Every structure is written in structure tokens, then in C-alpha cells.
Amino acid sequence: MSETAPAHSDGPLTGVRVVDASTILAGPLCCQLLGDYGAEVVKIEHPKRGDGMRGHGPSKDGEPLWWKEISRNKRLVAADLSRADGAELLLRLAETADVLVENFRPGTLERWGLGPEDLWRRNPALIVVRVTGFGQTGPYSSRPGFGTLAEAMSGFAHLTGDPSMPPTLPAFGLADSLCGVAAVGATMMALWERDTKSPGVGQVVDMNLLTPLMTAVGPGPTVYDQLGVVEQRRGNRSLNNAPRNTYRTSDGRWVAVSTSAQSIAERVMRLVGHPEVIDEPWFATGGQRALHADLLDGHVSTWIGQRTRDEVIEQFTAAGAAVAPIYDAADIVADEHVRATGMVRKVADDKLGDVLMHDVMWGMSRTPGRIRRTGGDLGADTDPVLKELGYEAADIEAMRERGVIA
């Protein structure tokens, strides 16, 4: 049986309408999160190709699993926006919406008569969130934009991996995911400004994949500007503290240790049997400890390597020191804290039965979000959405025969 969500409102965004005209990951994730917290999201896909997210990741019985999560809580409409009838459909949707999220290359919507000025003629209060690789302006604005490129240009790949090995890219959509989460905040700021300071007046939110990840990577440009220093790869070590690394346990598992706080560093070194280093002058700051990482890592790795993962975690926890196991997906699903706090939840799906997926991202005491439905088939809600917009059944069928909708 599915775990049932507690009875509550659909979230703080109940009554907000969002049109998701984006593809792949950043835009759809932004809209998923808005939908998780109550917004009505109407997703537009090409009637033949669909969203490329349908082909990302593993499938079961022909059902794409990532799609079940990224398109949950969305009504699915299939329409070709490059066709006149499809453009009119989007304009009608925009008339009823608070937010439109799109990630076409700059100039594409304008070419179809769907740019912000066109949309605002129908709905001046619309917030238009534009997600691209490099933004709407600048010399790179017309380039194809993908997360891999942002992960390369942000400094992330340069700083990630062993210093003796090539730069390392993440094995998941890091840049897109950060951008998607950031876009939620930007969207809410724009809605707040519209509703409290400029009633009835929308604006464009210009999101790109590069900026959020550059921010997450840290103050490299500032350090270079002020000191002329370009930071280099250090593997799992940090410039700011030590010991900080991953360590192998006696049963072949791995744990991660952090000593960002001075008191934690002292507890770790006492626990592993080397309290003498605490009295060294260099131990007093994280940056100085980082210069002695070989010594500190040697002490910690020797101690951890003589104990099982469970023993290490038990003794670190008892000592008030910071440690965590290195998890794979199976470990995440089995973790008692993950399950007890609802970080993952089973949701009923028409095709697959119960599907375990990430629950809503953050808790809210009075207006929490919830998962109302999983992602479905291409064009599953085309007809009811068009009827709500005033289309007659004959018009819908004619558009379908012309290939404008599916």
C-alpha cells in the first residue's frame, strides 16, 4: 500500500497557475517544486517529440522513471508552439496564468509571436521565467546551453577530482538542478513584487545555468582578483579545514569526516588517539590544519581502517564528532532517518503501482506541499485543458488531425 500523505491543503501556492513550456531539467524542476506546493502546473510538450526528460534515465515496462517525479503534479498538454494554432493555445493559457517558464533559445518565442511583449498584451501581470544556458544577452546567449557546459565553465570541474587526474564532471544534473531550485526563489520574488509593489505588472526573470553553480563553487573570482591565486584540485581535501576526507573502514565501506568547527576537529583527534596534535600552534585554525592534512589524514585513516563502519559511526556519534556514511541509492532508501522524516515517499501510479520518489523538498508547518499525482502520458490532459480555455470539441479534433496537438 502507498504511504498516504497527511490531510492538509495543497500548499501555499494553491490558486497560482504556472505554464511549464520548458524541457530537460532546470525549468521542469522549477515547475515541479512550484507544483509540489500547490500551484496548478500545465505542462506543454511537443506532440511528437515530447519533453526530452522522457528519455532520461532508466525505464520500467516502457515507463520512464525520472519522468514520474519531474512531471508529478502537472497537467500534460501536447501542442506544437511553432504552429499558429499552437501559439494561440499558449497565448490563451498565458491569459489565465501567473507564471510561464520556458527554456527555448533566445529569440525563439519572439519568432513565434510568443515573446514577453506578446504575452503581456494578453496578460500584463504574467511573470515570464526564461531559463537558458548563458542568459538572454551577451556573446554566448545564442549558444546551446547544457548543464555539462556550466559545470565546466563555473569552475566546478576544475576543482573536482584528484589533482593527478583530469577535471571531473558530476554524474548527475548538478547545474540544471541548482538552477531549477534557484528559479523557484526568483519566481517567488517576482510574484511578491508584482502582488505587493506593482499590482498587475509582470516582468521577465532571466535565469541561466552558469550563475547558480558559479555561486555554489565559491569565491574563486574574488580570491583571484585580490590575491592572484587560482585554486587547484585537492581531491576530497579542503583549503579551509582538516581532517576532511573520505576514509575506508575495515569492512570495506566508506565514511566522510568533516571538521569545519574547531571543537569538532579537537574531538576527532582525541577520539583517534592523537590528542597531542591539538596543542600544536598550527592546529588552532582550519586553514593551518589544512596545511598538515597528510599528518592528520594518516592518524584518522589508520584509526578508521581498524574498525567497521558501524563501529566508526557509533564511536564518532558518542564523541560528538561529525561523520556520515557514504551512501548509494540502496543505502538512502534503507536509512532510518530518511524514512522516518519522509524524505522519500511511495506514490500511487496508474502504470507502475507504488513508486518511491523524493518527497517535497522542505517542510512547512501550516501549508505543507504534497504529491498529488505522478508524471503521465504525453498529452494526457490536452482535451480537458483546451475545453477549459473555451475550445469546442470540433476545434480540438481539427487541431489534432493537423498535428498541432496530441
Side-chain angles (χ1 to χ4, degrees):
M1 296 293 291
S2 296
E3 301 169 16
T4 57
H8 50 54
S9 75
D10 281 341
L13 298 182
T14 300
V16 173
R17 192 173 209 193
V18 177
V19 177
D20 178 2
S22 62
T23 59
I24 303 299
L25 182 51
L29 177 59
C30 169
C31 294
Q32 177 214 305
L33 294 171
L34 295 172
D36 284 352
Y37 290 91
E40 179 196 356
V41 180
V42 179
K43 179 169 183 62
I44 308 295
E45 299 177 77
H46 192 278
K48 294 182 179 179
R49 298 189 296 270
D51 185 342
M53 284 298 300
R54 290 181 179 273
H56 280 225
S59 297
K60 178 183 178 182
D61 300 332
E63 295 294 315
L65 299 179
W66 198 354
W67 181 257
K68 296 296 181 181
E69 178 169 328
I70 197 70
S71 282
R72 68 192 189 194
N73 294 335
K74 299 180 184 181
R75 304 176 73 190
L76 305 179
V77 173
D80 185 348
L81 302 183
S82 68
R83 307 271 292 273
D85 288 351
E88 175 60 25
L89 168 57
L90 186 67
L91 289 170
R92 290 200 194 185
L93 274 173
E95 289 178 352
T96 71
D98 296 283
V99 178
L100 182 143
V101 179
E102 63 93 5
N103 73 328
F104 295 97
R105 285 200 204 182
T108 300
L109 286 187
E110 285 81 355
R111 190 168 65 251
W112 295 340
L114 295 171
E117 297 297 334
D118 303 295
L119 297 167
W120 286 331
R121 276 192 283 273
R122 297 289 189 99
N123 179 3
L126 185 68
I127 304 299
V128 183
V129 182
R130 315 196 77 171
V131 182
T132 57
F134 301 103
Q136 296 294 314
T137 62
Y140 300 163
S141 60
S142 62
R143 291 185 180 182
F146 297 98
T148 297
L149 310 186
E151 288 146 11
M153 293 178 64
S154 64
F156 176 86
H158 170 74
L159 290 175
T160 303
D162 188 277
S164 65
M165 300 296 288
T168 301
L169 295 166
F172 54 93
L174 177 61
D176 276 272
S177 297
L178 281 177
C179 181
V181 176
V184 173
T187 300
M188 298 313 300
M189 289 181 193
L191 286 172
W192 172 264
E193 194 281 335
R194 183 197 70 181
D195 293 343
T196 64
K197 302 183 184 301
S198 306
V201 181
Q203 65 176 300
V204 169
V205 175
D206 185 359
M207 293 293 307
N208 68 76
L209 300 182
L210 184 57
T211 301
L213 187 52
M214 283 177 61
T215 301
V217 168
T222 304
V223 172
Y224 174 70
D225 173 68
Q226 294 296 305
L227 301 177
V229 173
V230 175
E231 297 178 5
Q232 302 297 320
R233 286 188 294 286
R234 299 173 60 87
N236 292 319
R237 289 179 173 175
S238 169
L239 283 171
N240 303 312
N241 63 81
R244 189 263 196 184
N245 214 324
T246 59
Y247 306 91
R248 189 177 178 91
T249 62
S250 65
D251 53 350
R253 311 299 290 273
W254 291 86
V255 297
V257 171
S258 174
T259 57
S260 294
Q262 181 68 23
S263 60
I264 299 296
E266 294 175 3
R267 292 172 193 169
V268 168
M269 299 318 298
R270 290 191 184 99
L271 175 63
V272 302
H274 288 277
E276 73 282 358
V277 299
I278 298 172
D279 296 325
E280 295 288 345
W282 51 261
F283 197 86
T285 68
Q288 287 295 308
R289 293 200 311 273
L291 297 177
H292 295 79
D294 286 343
L295 172 67
L296 298 176
D297 270 347
H299 292 330
V300 175
S301 62
T302 297
W303 187 90
I304 287 177
Q306 297 170 349
R307 292 161 176 81
T308 67
R309 187 182 74 174
D310 288 347
E311 291 171 338
V312 170
I313 292 174
E314 180 181 358
Q315 293 187 45
F316 262 72
T317 302
V323 69
I326 304 293
Y327 273 175
D328 58 22
D331 296 320
I332 293 171
V333 169
D335 184 85
E336 60 179 353
H337 182 81
V338 170
R339 299 303 291 260
T341 57
M343 293 181 185
V344 294
R345 181 178 298 278
K346 285 187 176 180
V347 183
D349 179 77
D350 291 341
K351 301 289 184 65
L352 298 177
D354 290 345
V355 177
L356 190 71
M357 62 178 64
H358 300 108
D359 202 0
V360 296
M361 190 172 286
W362 55 84
M364 300 183 71
S365 63
R366 187 167 55 81
T367 57
R370 69 185 179 100
I371 305 170
R372 301 182 296 281
R373 61 190 287 188
T374 59
D377 294 338
L378 179 66
D381 303 294
T382 299
D383 287 22
V385 169
L386 265 63
K387 288 177 181 177
E388 292 169 10
L389 294 174
Y391 285 88
E392 299 293 337
D395 297 328
I396 295 174
E397 187 57 32
M399 291 171 67
R400 182 169 284 113
E401 288 178 357
R402 295 196 301 273
V404 177
I405 63 172

